[in-house]
Amino acid sequence: MRPDGIAVLDFGGQYCHLIARRIRELHVFSEIVPGDVDAEELKALEGHMALKGLVLSGGPASVYEPSAPRLDKRILDLGLPMLGICYGHQLLAHLLGGEVRPREAAEYGIAMARIIRPVGVLEGLGPVERVWMSHKDQVVSLPSGFEVLAETDSCPIAAFRDPSGLIYGLQWHPEVVHTQNGMKMLENFVFKICGCRANWRMEDFIPRAIEEIRQAVGPGKAIIALSGGIDSSTTAVLAAKAIGDRLHAVFIDTGLMREGEVEYVKRVFSRLLPNLHVVDAGEEFLGALRGVRDPERKRRIIGEVFIRVFERVARQVGAEYLLQGTIYPDRIESGARRFSEKIKTHHNVAGLPSRMEFKAVIEPLRDLYKDEVREVARRLGLPDEVVERQPFPGPGLAVRIVGEVTPEKVEIARKADAIVRGEFERAGVARGLWQYFAVLLDTRTTGVRGDKRAYGYVVAIRAVESKEAMTASFAKLPWDLLERVATRITNEIPEVVRVVYDITHKPPATIEWE
Ligand code: XMP
């Protein structure tokens, strides 16, 4: 059964993902598409959802600029309900015959909206609502027949609807938490205006995904690169349920793993999966990295060696199908958004299919957000230690060792990381953090040890809070925890004389150091 769904047209707004996630919290499927999608492309979404309505997102442009993103006008003829937010609100007014002008000053922050008509998207709201605005243009006149539903002191047309009651515009952002009843507004749109049923539920997703894998693989064999992280683990367990011992899971020990990682994978997954292959390829990886300092080259080399090793195993087991744990934000980040920049070459197994011959690549989690994957994992009975795991990058400790990777440095980075993890978990701060780890720098500095001069390495501690890793804030941690970690690292790892704490947000820094 296809779920009912809403397409979010992306005009470059920073809250696009948030809109889709909020709608999914209402158990309605939602997918982001580029703002310049045409009517045929929208119709094609019907292949996997019953498209019930459109949300036009915010964005940085001004509708009256010649280069501003537009909407394919034929979309207006589809008869679908539409909700324009911020730029989307202005674009709808502009396209349908209203007027949008720059304001004298931008408005940014909380505003009090007077609800003139509590109908449609605004049904059930009080006379005054706290909303969050961020705009430099505004609608100054409406298309004929449209009515104003709300105003603020400085924005007389803050919400509108068309005569049919299917098209709405909100100058504020209902998707951010600062808009007090934002969820109620989205709920009104999704259920009352679009008539969606709340049928996007993970308990329904699981049998659908299992059936999809079964159909795709038929009587064949499939292989998956298991990293031990939540996405590939969940995919593997779904696949094991679908095809049993025709699944081969391959864990490649790159020699760049955290302490205890290989044992963890063997302990947890030999129980959950039928054929677990643990391949020790540490020497191959470290050999290929010898003398290489440039972070992008390191990432590329690791990707290549990974493919080489994986290809070898795939040939041995004779697998015709490849399973991957790609999730929704991975797809969006790698090109579904038209204006995104490449920051670094992310290594996951996404590079594999272009080089390898498989009958098909199967990505059962391709439509899920991370929190949805966690829910699926829980429902599949994966243990907490898998579900709550912090993400670990494919290139492993190599991107946490600045400069050349040597066996000695891997050992230091691994010990320091184990201390950080252990202390953070014991202190009970780990659960609130997206990631927490150690980075080994390639500068050496002076210290004292037992009244003697010491000259050694610097370790940086990185700990961040984040929702999707696209932005992150450094964590404000208790000093005594940081002190304990620094003391243990310098005491237990004689090569290290100094420990620093990274207090940079993302942006401008990234989470990993390389
Ligand atoms: P950055 O460093 O770009 O990281 O802020 C964002 C998130 O992605 C993880 N990361 C990776 N994950 N392969 C992965 O599977 C990679 O090559 C890779 N590089 C970074 C990082 O740990 C963080 O969660």
Side-chain angles (χ1 to χ4, degrees):
M1 186 203 62
R2 292 172 313 158
D4 289 353
I6 303 283
V8 178
L9 275 60
D10 175 9
F11 290 104
Q14 53 180 324
Y15 300 122
C16 228
H17 267 294
L18 207 49
I19 301 171
R21 287 174 59 120
R22 291 274 178 265
I23 294 174
R24 288 188 187 199
E25 283 170 25
L26 298 167
H27 298 292
V28 172
F29 183 70
S30 176
E31 179 165 333
I32 298 171
V33 294
D36 57 0
V37 59
D38 64 33
E40 286 73 34
E41 287 170 311
L42 266 188
K43 290 305 281 177
L45 298 178
E46 291 274 1
H48 61 276
M49 66 162 129
L51 183 61
K52 297 286 191 181
L54 308 177
V55 175
L56 278 56
S57 85
S62 290
V63 293
Y64 45 79
E65 287 166 357
S67 60
R70 294 269 172 259
L71 180 76
D72 174 7
K73 277 205 157 186
R74 290 169 311 152
I75 290 175
L76 296 168
D77 301 329
L78 296 176
L80 286 167
M82 289 198 254
L83 171 64
I85 295 175
C86 197
Y87 181 82
H89 158 92
Q90 296 159 11
L91 185 61
L92 283 172
H94 174 79
L95 279 177
L96 296 164
E99 194 184 347
V100 176
R101 281 211 210 125
R103 290 166 54 91
E104 277 185 5
E107 182 176 27
Y108 184 83
I110 302 283
M112 300 315 282
R114 284 183 292 281
I115 308 297
I116 300 167
R117 295 254 291 135
V119 293
V121 170
L122 305 186
E123 198 179 306
L125 299 185
V128 179
E129 287 288 332
R130 199 183 71 210
V131 298
W132 198 82
M133 311 270 249
S134 166
H135 61 131
K136 57 185 192 315
D137 293 335
Q138 69 187 25
V139 178
V140 293
S141 78
L142 282 177
S144 71
F146 280 46
E147 62 179 327
V148 181
L149 300 184
E151 62 182 5
T152 71
D153 282 346
S154 73
C155 179
I157 307 180
F160 66 73
R161 78 166 170 184
D162 80 332
S164 73
L166 290 180
I167 298 181
Y168 289 79
L170 299 177
Q171 181 56 70
W172 63 76
H173 287 269
E175 70 278 19
V176 305
V177 289
H178 315 297
T179 296
Q180 196 176 11
N181 283 309
M183 221 32 196
K184 174 82 188 150
M185 299 167 197
L186 293 174
E187 204 179 302
N188 282 336
F189 178 67
V190 164
F191 296 118
K192 298 211 166 108
I193 315 294
C194 301
C196 288
R197 290 162 301 167
N199 56 4
W200 174 249
R201 292 184 189 275
M202 292 307 111
E203 62 261 43
D204 304 333
F205 170 84
I206 292 172
R208 265 205 314 267
I210 291 174
E211 189 50 33
E212 180 196 333
I213 298 169
R214 204 171 273 150
Q215 293 282 337
V217 179
K221 282 188 197 163
I223 191 167
I224 182 165
L226 184 74
S227 72
I230 175 108
D231 303 340
S232 62
S233 305
T234 306
T235 308
V237 171
L238 278 172
K241 291 201 182 299
I243 59 172
D245 64 4
R246 287 176 291 121
L247 172 72
H248 291 264
V250 182
F251 174 79
I252 300 178
D253 175 3
T254 57
L256 301 161
M257 296 292 161
R258 288 171 289 192
E259 191 173 286
E261 191 73 0
V262 179
E263 296 73 21
Y264 152 81
V265 166
K266 283 184 186 159
R267 174 168 54 77
V268 172
F269 293 97
S270 54
R271 196 166 48 77
L272 293 169
L273 302 174
N275 304 300
L276 175 65
H277 307 257
V278 176
V279 186
D280 176 2
E283 279 181 21
E284 218 166 322
F285 281 89
L286 284 169
L289 286 169
R290 198 168 298 133
V292 181
R293 301 186 50 82
D294 177 69
E296 276 298 290
R297 262 195 79 208
K298 278 158 61 175
R299 284 176 170 271
R300 263 197 319 277
I301 289 170
I302 292 167
E304 281 162 20
V305 177
F306 196 93
I307 292 171
R308 206 159 66 213
V309 176
F310 191 69
E311 257 172 346
R312 230 164 33 218
V313 187
R315 263 196 309 272
Q316 277 163 16
V317 303
E320 307 119 294
Y321 296 88
L322 175 68
L323 281 150
Q324 292 200 135
T326 316
I327 67 169
Y328 190 48
D330 300 340
R331 287 202 293 134
I332 293 284
E333 288 301 287
S334 53
R337 290 196 84 165
R338 301 221 160 138
F339 312 104
S340 72
E341 285 249 323
K342 175 165 146 189
I343 309 292
K344 53 178 81 162
T345 311
H346 269 224
H347 154 88
N348 37 39
V349 272
L352 289 175
S354 57
R355 280 271 307 268
M356 299 178 63
E357 292 281 306
F358 285 103
K359 280 192 187 156
V361 179
I362 309 161
E363 299 177 320
L365 308 182
R366 64 186 172 276
D367 289 327
L368 304 196
Y369 282 103
K370 197 75 145 190
D371 46 355
E372 293 171 326
V373 178
R374 290 213 169 94
E375 191 185 333
V376 170
R378 258 185 224 109
R379 285 179 181 277
L380 287 170
L382 268 78
D384 270 3
E385 61 179 324
V386 180
V387 178
E388 302 298 338
R389 226 149 197 263
Q390 56 166 330
F392 183 63
L397 297 176
V399 292
R400 296 180 178 173
I401 294 171
V402 177
E404 189 185 354
V405 179
T406 62
E408 182 214 14
K409 285 181 169 173
V410 172
E411 213 35 57
I412 298 172
R414 187 176 280 145
K415 280 189 197 152
D417 181 72
I419 293 171
V420 171
R421 275 195 293 155
E423 288 296 334
F424 277 45
E425 280 153 24
R426 238 189 316 282
V429 299
R431 262 186 177 249
L433 298 175
W434 174 264
Q435 275 170 301
Y436 46 100
F437 54 85
V439 180
L440 179 63
L441 309 196
D442 64 345
T443 28
R444 297 205 191 201
T445 68
T446 304
V448 275
R449 214 180 267 292
D451 297 335
K452 284 213 186 82
R453 179 180 190 272
Y455 190 61
Y457 286 110
V458 182
V459 162
I461 303 172
R462 182 79 165 137
V464 296
E465 293 166 0
S466 176
K467 284 233 171 298
E468 287 293 345
M470 287 184 290
T471 60
S473 319
F474 80 84
K476 300 186 177 123
L477 296 169
W479 286 117
D480 57 346
L481 169 63
L482 293 172
E483 183 181 36
R484 218 161 37 242
V485 172
T487 308
R488 277 197 59 197
I489 290 176
T490 47
N491 277 348
E492 294 172 32
I493 314 172
E495 295 88 343
V496 179
V497 294
R498 194 177 295 271
V499 176
V500 297
Y501 186 47
D502 182 349
I503 54 164
T504 341
H505 299 311
K506 171 182 181 175
T510 53
I511 296 176
E512 304 291 344
W513 275 43
E514 288 202 331

